[in-house]
Amino acid sequence: MLFNSTIFIAGFLPVVLFGFFLLAGTGRQRGAVIWLALASLFFYSWWNPAYTPLLFGSIVANFLLGGYLLRHPSRGVLIAGVAANVALLGYYKYTEFLFGTLDAAFGTHWGIDDIILPLAISFFTFQQIAYLVDAHDGEVQEHDFFNYCLFIAFFPQLIAGPITHHGEMLPQFRDRDMFRPRLAGLAIGGTVFLLGLFKKVVIADPLGEMASPSFAEAAAGTIPGFLDAWTGAVGYTLQIYFDFSGYSDMAIGLALLFGISLPVNFNSPFKARNVIDYWSRWHMTLTRFLTAYIYNPIVLRMTRARMAAGKPQPRRGKMTAGTFAALVAYPTILTMFISGVWHGAGWQFAVFGLLHGFYLVVAHGWRAWKVRRGWELDSDRIVHRVTAVLLTFGCVVIAMVFFRAESVSAAMAMLSGMLGLSGERGNLARGDALMVAALLVVIWALPNVEQWMRQVRTALNFDAQPSWTERWVPLMTWRPTPVMGAAVGVAGFFALAVAFSEAPTEFLYFQF
């Protein structure tokens, strides 16, 4: 069941809201939690009922294991629990890839039936691993089954994030003042949801038609023409930007309808001046998880190993090349490799992760060098800012080629076309050029939803900074006025009309 489908908007959502209002509005908070948990499991089963026991079984097993770790912290039990979650994810996501790779390398001719990847397994696996680790460390403050079930299965964030943390969600489920229906929550949540729907069906989906032909040509082994390759690469980069941004807005808006706040997961990443800043804005909750549960433990272990070996620790502004390699480069590249493989089973995803790891190492090295030289880290001069943003955007576009391509060879064919190695100029339709130019203006000049609506609470614990256009254009700040209501109403009506008139398309992150 897709957020942009008629059955969800006109069927599932009104029924779930009615039941929630009936229970939470009359003070039966426990009943409201159970109702939302059951509705979320039903939402998941709509895709394939056969996989609902997998999700529910994973929830029960991890809940019981978390309870044991709370009472009896055991590193061995923790490792076994994490390994079981990773093994489940690995079986469904990587078995076919592994057997295919072995067959291609050694001619084993091992056959295996197609394994259907369960929806959301990458997301709920990470959430439950974090819960187990924190339960072992004594950081879990609540252990209630129905609240835990809702935390994992809550339908607005179940399929494609954000990757929520128990510490920010479970307290909301037991807060009577927050977890109840409000008219303001309906208005604000409905506004954010409609804006996200507009991004998805009006902007992102048509961009897919622009991007697909050149990637299909590259997958067939042909190097696209120069303009065709760039149209496909930039078109897909913009498509996934608005698709993921739209999903993130819709998830936040849906949660607000029930009085629940989700963490922000998308904060204008193409405005970033470097790739470090980019990953603090793109899939922010994934970056948070990778940093807390993979990157930081690796750095801590490396630091302890170096101290045990008697190696000097880094001093501010005077990090040696060896220290930089051990405490920055190695953890960064390994973490981003894991990030790339998490996104998909294919060498192109591994290259995507390694490429971003290389970007991050270069960015961190450049920062360390500037600190050592006594230079300012980020210049506010307009020329420097524009150059930095354009360079970062270009690096992201190149990496997105691997993210979208069907294989490494297809990605290399696309990059060859972008370098003009096909010998053909290709075609660039005037309409496509105007669309790309207009969308880049929207991305770089206009505020995002959280900035536009910063006068009210939307995302959880997020302080949206004002946009530079706010002082010049009054409409760049949302206020509950008839004009704003009419503008959102028109955009929402148009988005709903498109959504109801066409077959719904999946969000791009559903495949992960």
Side-chain angles (χ1 to χ4, degrees):
M1 194 184 306
L2 302 172
F3 290 170
N4 52 322
S5 66
T6 304
I7 186 65
F8 176 85
I9 297 173
F12 175 83
L13 184 58
V15 171
V16 176
L17 274 173
F18 177 78
F20 175 78
F21 276 31
L22 186 63
L23 293 167
T26 54
R28 287 173 283 184
Q29 184 176 8
R30 185 70 167 177
V33 169
I34 296 173
W35 168 255
L36 281 184
L38 292 175
S40 297
L41 291 173
F42 176 81
F43 171 84
Y44 188 83
S45 70
W46 190 268
W47 165 69
N48 189 337
Y51 281 93
T52 305
L54 174 69
L55 171 62
F56 186 70
S58 176
I59 290 173
V60 172
N62 280 282
F63 175 78
L64 294 175
L65 189 58
Y68 179 86
L69 289 171
L70 278 172
R71 297 187 301 271
H72 311 286
S74 167
R75 185 170 180 81
V77 173
L78 172 63
I79 292 174
V82 172
N85 280 281
V86 173
L88 185 68
L89 174 63
Y91 169 75
Y92 282 104
K93 196 163 187 174
Y94 305 108
T95 300
E96 285 189 63
F97 170 70
L98 176 61
F99 275 79
T101 300
L102 291 174
D103 184 38
F106 303 107
T108 58
H109 302 293
W110 289 340
I112 186 171
D113 295 333
D114 291 340
I115 299 175
I116 300 175
L117 179 67
L119 280 177
I121 189 170
S122 297
F123 292 89
F124 68 70
T125 297
F126 271 18
Q127 288 187 198
Q128 301 199 98
I129 287 175
Y131 187 84
L132 294 181
V133 172
D134 289 349
H136 172 269
D137 295 343
E139 297 180 11
V140 172
Q141 303 299 320
E142 176 184 339
H143 191 64
D144 176 89
F145 177 72
F146 289 109
N147 284 357
Y148 179 80
C149 186
L150 181 58
F151 157 59
I152 298 298
F154 188 40
F155 71 88
Q157 51 86 35
L158 171 62
I159 305 300
I163 300 173
T164 55
H165 189 269
H166 60 87
E168 63 195 6
M169 299 305 297
L170 295 179
Q172 295 189 64
F173 301 154
R174 64 174 184 266
D175 187 342
R176 292 184 178 275
D177 291 332
M178 178 179 293
F179 191 64
R180 62 185 177 86
R182 288 187 179 91
L183 185 60
L186 288 175
I188 297 169
T191 297
V192 177
F193 175 82
L194 289 175
L195 292 175
L197 181 65
F198 186 91
K199 291 179 183 179
K200 167 62 177 172
V201 302
V202 178
I203 301 177
D205 288 347
L207 285 169
E209 300 175 4
M210 180 195 306
S212 295
S214 57
F215 279 99
E217 188 177 354
T222 304
I223 298 178
F226 179 76
L227 294 177
D228 294 334
W230 276 101
T231 298
V234 175
Y236 176 74
T237 302
L238 295 178
Q239 178 194 7
I240 196 170
Y241 178 95
F242 284 101
D243 190 276
F244 193 32
S245 175
Y247 181 92
S248 300
D249 289 339
M250 294 171 79
I252 288 174
L254 287 170
L256 287 174
L257 297 179
F258 301 95
I260 298 171
S261 295
L262 293 179
V264 67
N265 206 27
F266 202 89
N267 182 27
S268 300
F270 290 170
K271 293 179 181 177
R273 300 191 199 181
N274 54 65
V275 181
I276 302 171
D277 188 23
Y278 169 81
W279 276 105
S280 71
R281 295 165 171 261
W282 176 282
H283 211 329
M284 297 160 66
T285 56
L286 174 63
T287 301
R288 177 179 67 177
F289 176 91
L290 294 173
T291 302
Y293 296 98
I294 297 178
Y295 178 84
N296 286 345
I298 294 173
V299 172
L300 181 60
R301 183 167 183 172
M302 294 295 296
T303 301
R304 287 174 175 171
R306 289 174 59 84
M307 291 177 65
K311 295 182 179 180
Q313 298 306 301
R315 291 180 295 169
R316 180 176 177 82
K318 296 189 182 233
M319 184 180 293
T320 65
T323 302
F324 180 83
L327 300 184
V328 178
Y330 166 68
T332 298
I333 291 176
L334 179 56
T335 301
M336 293 312 297
F337 172 77
I338 294 172
S339 172
V341 173
W342 175 85
H343 278 95
W347 291 114
Q348 68 273 29
F349 292 104
V351 174
F352 166 81
L354 291 172
L355 186 56
H356 267 287
F358 170 76
Y359 290 160
L360 288 168
V361 169
V362 171
H364 281 296
W366 176 244
R367 279 192 168 186
W369 189 77
K370 287 197 292 184
V371 168
R372 192 163 188 168
R373 302 275 295 185
W375 294 1
E376 58 181 327
L377 289 179
D378 294 303
S379 173
D380 284 330
R381 294 180 58 184
I382 187 65
V383 174
H384 292 171
R385 291 173 59 186
V386 170
T387 302
V389 169
L390 291 177
L391 179 60
T392 303
F393 179 73
C395 291
V396 170
V397 170
I398 292 172
M400 281 297 181
V401 170
F402 289 93
F403 198 79
R404 169 63 174 81
E406 296 184 13
S407 63
V408 175
S409 60
M412 295 306 297
M414 279 290 294
L415 293 177
S416 298
M418 293 166 70
L419 291 173
L421 299 182
S422 69
E424 297 181 4
R425 181 175 180 272
N427 300 305
L428 177 60
R430 178 176 297 181
D432 290 346
L434 291 175
M435 179 184 294
V436 168
L439 292 178
L440 289 176
V441 170
V442 169
I443 288 171
W444 285 328
L446 300 185
N448 57 40
V449 171
E450 280 70 37
Q451 289 175 310
W452 187 55
M453 300 186 68
R454 69 187 187 89
Q455 305 294 337
V456 294
R457 178 179 61 87
T458 53
L460 179 68
N461 299 328
F462 182 70
D463 183 19
Q465 299 301 311
S467 168
W468 67 274
T469 57
E470 183 176 317
R471 69 177 65 180
W472 307 108
V473 185
L475 287 177
M476 291 301 101
T477 302
W478 179 88
R479 287 180 174 82
T481 64
V483 174
M484 290 290 182
V488 173
V490 170
F493 176 81
F494 189 55
L496 289 170
V498 174
F500 289 169
S501 64
E502 299 178 355
T505 57
E506 282 193 351
F507 293 85
L508 296 179
Y509 260 80
F510 272 35
Q511 61 186 298
F512 309 128

